[in-house]
Amino acid sequence: LLAATALALVLAPAASAARVEAGPLRARTSETPWSLAFTDRDGRRVLTEASGTGTGPTGRVGFRTAAGWFHATRVVRSRAAGSTAYHATLATNDPLGRRIELRLARDAGGVIALSARVTGPTIAEVTYTGIAFRARPGERYLGFGERSNAVDQRGREVESYVAEGPFEEDERAFVPAFVPPWGFHPRDDATYFPMPWLLSTAGYGVLVDSPETSLHRLGTDSRAAWSVEVEAPRLRMRVFAGPRPAGALRRLTARIGR
């Protein structure tokens, strides 16, 4: 009986929400329904996961197959290493029962790393993994490496893929004659120096650590969310505190090199 009771305690989902602390940045989760938010040390919102489990990329952490998007719904089980790391198995609205193994961990002062990996049957069918966050009125999105299409990318889709370009529209018909297909993406945001780094004027930064092609869909006043998706069954990213853009940029260069 004691053994059975101990096993039940191990397998049962945790009843309380979890928190990961990294100095001026905190990550908070709730379990049913699943939600994730990043705050400052005083509890003020820095970044909040967009709610919803609809068919598009704008919603809770999820993944895409040929059948569409599926998103996290609740925590099945979880464990924490004090306030420095948190791991959770997330159920999704996928009818095949695929789940998401999510990990949050302190990376440095003011920096928290997130990893989300899809598990379950037919993982090869998973084409993208992504997450969405609420956008603030008037928030602008900078960064993304070398781009010639715009400085503020709000309201745009930004692809991070190494390619030749950008080329003017009237030049694009001739480019395939001297650039192989894998080196040419006929997009206004094409670049040979992409960086999947979003720097918000609201005072935070988000770096995608996955090496695969990624796509940011950036919010507008009528679409109050922004999302990022990676062409893989796993997403890795880091959130950097500000509280101003310069502070987030300093923390980024301290982690990846100056």
Side-chain angles (χ1 to χ4, degrees), residues 6-250:
L7 181 61
L9 289 173
V10 170
L11 295 179
S16 59
R19 183 172 71 182
V20 173
E21 299 183 1
L25 186 66
R26 314 285 173 87
R28 298 175 181 268
T29 69
S30 65
E31 299 200 332
T32 305
W34 162 259
S35 68
L36 169 65
F38 296 89
T39 68
D40 64 16
R41 68 173 79 246
D42 296 319
R44 291 185 292 263
R45 178 173 67 91
V46 174
L47 196 56
T48 304
E49 188 181 32
S51 60
T53 55
T55 57
T58 302
R60 298 178 185 133
V61 60
F63 58 92
R64 191 176 84 181
T65 71
W69 277 91
F70 303 101
H71 298 271
T73 56
R74 61 182 177 85
V75 173
V76 176
R77 62 178 64 88
S78 65
R79 64 179 184 273
S83 61
T84 61
Y86 169 76
H87 179 272
T89 300
L90 307 181
T92 72
N93 60 340
D94 174 23
L96 295 182
R98 283 169 288 211
R99 294 177 171 180
I100 296 172
E101 297 293 330
L102 183 134
R103 185 175 187 272
L104 296 163
R106 175 189 170 100
D107 183 71
V111 187
I112 293 178
L114 179 152
S115 172
R117 178 174 59 89
V118 184
T119 63
T122 59
I123 299 303
E125 295 180 0
V126 175
T127 54
Y128 284 90
T129 307
I131 191 170
F133 296 97
R134 296 178 191 171
R136 305 185 196 184
E139 183 177 12
R140 292 178 289 164
Y141 305 111
L142 317 174
F144 303 103
E146 183 182 47
R147 305 286 175 171
S148 299
N149 64 318
V151 174
D152 175 16
Q153 300 287 357
R154 185 177 177 93
R156 303 174 187 269
E157 292 186 1
V158 180
E159 180 187 65
S160 288
Y161 178 91
V162 179
E164 290 293 334
F167 295 94
E168 298 291 340
E169 287 194 23
D170 58 358
E171 300 174 334
R172 294 176 185 174
F174 307 101
V175 174
F178 58 89
V179 175
W182 48 263
F184 176 50
H185 277 205
R187 298 172 55 99
D188 292 341
D189 64 339
T191 178
Y192 52 81
F193 202 110
M195 183 176 181
W197 159 248
L198 179 152
L199 180 62
S200 169
T201 55
Y204 64 84
V206 178
L207 175 68
V208 175
D209 282 316
S210 301
E212 297 86 2
T213 300
S214 61
L215 182 68
H216 284 80
R217 304 175 191 267
L218 301 165
T220 63
D221 289 335
S222 61
R223 180 171 172 267
W226 67 265
S227 64
V228 60
E229 54 204 85
V230 171
E231 195 174 350
R234 179 174 181 173
L235 167 67
R236 293 182 296 175
M237 53 184 275
R238 280 180 278 182
V239 178
F240 295 77
R244 290 178 291 276
L249 187 59
R250 279 194 296 270

